[in-house]
Amino acid sequence: MAKKSRILYILHYLWDRTDEENRVTISELRKELEDQGFHANRKTIAMDLKELQENGFDIICVRSRQNQYFLGTRGLELAELKLIVDAVQAAKFISLSKSISLIAKVAELASPAQRRSLNRRLYIQGKPKTSNEQVLYTIDLFHTAIADEKSIDFQYIEYTVSKEKVLKHHGKMYHFSPYDLVWDQDRYYVLGWSESHQKISKFRVDRMVRPSISSQPFHLKPDDYNVEKFCGQVFQMYDGLNEEVQLLCSGDIMKNIVDRFGEDVRTTPMPDGRVRVTATISVSPTFFAWVFTYGEKIRIESPEWVRKAYLKQLEAAYNRQKDE
């Protein structure tokens, strides 16, 4: 038992205090062990280190007058840990307090010297954090429900004109069969069958209140359900009438077209350098706003009703501005 405790202490010491630039000799380990009440000599410590190596721990020995040891691989490289920290800081669905807690836990996977470099300050333009502290647990609940094909009950919040949070429809309980979680525009959405809407719908996870596994039956996925197709049609997560639309676009915004519709979008190069884009989208004010962003570089060609609806939106916006 004493030997196991000694080996565990050595492993803990190497994990917590060593890396490639901070090594320890057997003499230093022996003194540390004796200070902690362990009996050890150079030979037993060398055997303990060898046993740890044989059991898969990446303990590196740097040969010198006094051999120096440190823990090499920790599962994740420092660059990977930094990436995780940046992602946690950037994610809007993780509250500030939960972000601080998660980053502290991630830092424990690095050596003490490396932890200082994980104390990063990443500025995210225009990305306020959620105030919902339960989002991570809600996401985990949905992962479980999706895997086990269980339905979920929850309430949903909305905001009054004074920015007050209130329960939607006076606290109505939604019954929902989740199929997929989608991360879009730094927000988590869940897609599935809504009993109240009687169709595939999506909800913002951070706006859910008191979600729980339901005793009601799970609604199986419709045969034609496809998450990629659904997300592609529901443009920027706004519902509208799905329609195949042709757009005539300037060639210099092809990267924006690919970003919006994906690399598989149907395109036809035109002799004048423009490109005709054919995509099935959700015709909505959000789609029209996106088209307007590019001004003369995008023109809606067909169908005619979509083109006219866009012109009507522009005319209405112009008249409102003129009246003001």
Side-chain angles (χ1 to χ4, degrees), residues 183-251:
W183 192 354
D184 181 83
Q185 300 292 312
D186 284 334
R187 301 292 189 190
Y188 257 113
Y189 296 81
V190 61
L191 310 182
W193 184 266
S194 170
E195 291 297 335
S196 57
H197 296 96
Q198 284 296 295
K199 67 174 185 176
I200 303 293
S201 302
K202 90 291 184 199
F203 290 91
R204 271 261 300 268
V205 172
D206 61 317
R207 290 182 177 168
M208 293 178 174
V209 179
R210 290 183 285 277
S212 62
I213 298 293
S214 175
S215 60
Q216 297 190 46
F218 181 84
H219 191 289
L220 295 176
K221 295 179 183 179
D223 292 338
D224 60 349
Y225 172 76
N226 180 283
V227 61
E228 291 84 3
K229 182 178 178 181
F230 184 87
C231 291
Q233 292 174 348
V234 182
F235 199 86
Q236 286 191 340
M237 305 308 251
Y238 282 83
D239 283 329
L241 181 63
N242 292 333
E243 183 67 85
E244 183 174 274
V245 174
Q246 284 194 340
L247 308 171
L248 190 60
C249 307
S250 174

Side-chain angles (χ1 to χ4, degrees), residues 44-57:
T44 56
I45 294 174
M47 291 175 62
D48 289 344
L49 290 169
K50 183 179 179 181
E51 187 171 339
L52 288 170
Q53 290 172 327
E54 291 174 349
N55 280 277
F57 293 99

Side-chain angles (χ1 to χ4, degrees), residues 42-228:
R42 295 179 61 85
K43 184 177 180 180
T44 56
I45 294 174
M47 291 175 62
D48 289 344
L49 290 169
K50 183 179 179 181
E51 187 171 339
L52 288 170
Q53 290 172 327
E54 291 174 349
N55 280 277
F57 293 99
D58 186 28
I59 297 171
I60 310 299
C61 176
V62 179
R63 302 291 179 182
S64 62
R65 188 172 182 178
Q66 288 196 70
N67 290 345
Q68 298 175 323
Y69 296 84
F70 69 92
L71 186 64
T73 303
R74 293 169 177 269
L76 290 169
E77 297 178 6
L78 180 59
E80 294 170 327
L81 293 174
K82 289 179 178 179
L83 185 64
I84 293 172
V85 168
D86 285 349
V88 170
Q89 288 185 337
K92 288 193 286 188
F93 68 90
I94 306 177
S95 69
L96 178 60
S97 62
K98 182 58 71 174
S99 295
I100 293 172
S101 172
L102 283 172
I103 290 170
K105 293 176 181 178
V106 170
E108 290 296 319
L109 300 175
S111 70
Q114 293 172 337
R115 289 171 197 167
R116 290 192 291 271
S117 66
L118 293 176
N119 185 23
R120 299 154 70 80
R121 292 293 181 266
L122 181 67
Y123 176 68
I124 310 298
Q125 171 66 26
K127 292 189 176 182
K129 289 280 193 178
T130 182
S131 59
N132 188 341
E133 297 285 345
Q134 300 300 314
V135 171
L136 292 184
Y137 306 107
T138 302
I139 292 169
D140 184 60
L141 177 71
F142 273 108
H143 277 301
T144 300
I146 291 170
D148 296 342
E149 293 191 339
K150 299 288 187 181
S151 59
I152 296 287
D153 291 327
F154 61 88
Q155 294 170 300
Y156 208 59
I157 64 170
E158 59 183 354
Y159 290 85
T160 66
V161 293
S162 58
K163 293 192 296 185
E164 178 187 3
K165 287 182 182 179
V166 296
L167 291 175
K168 194 170 183 178
H169 298 313
H170 307 289
K172 168 188 173 180
M173 189 65 71
Y174 289 81
H175 179 62
F176 189 75
S177 298
Y179 300 153
D180 289 288
L181 281 164
V182 176
W183 192 354
D184 181 83
Q185 300 292 312
D186 284 334
R187 301 292 189 190
Y188 257 113
Y189 296 81
V190 61
L191 310 182
W193 184 266
S194 170
E195 291 297 335
S196 57
H197 296 96
Q198 284 296 295
K199 67 174 185 176
I200 303 293
S201 302
K202 90 291 184 199
F203 290 91
R204 271 261 300 268
V205 172
D206 61 317
R207 290 182 177 168
M208 293 178 174
V209 179
R210 290 183 285 277
S212 62
I213 298 293
S214 175
S215 60
Q216 297 190 46
F218 181 84
H219 191 289
L220 295 176
K221 295 179 183 179
D223 292 338
D224 60 349
Y225 172 76
N226 180 283
V227 61
E228 291 84 3

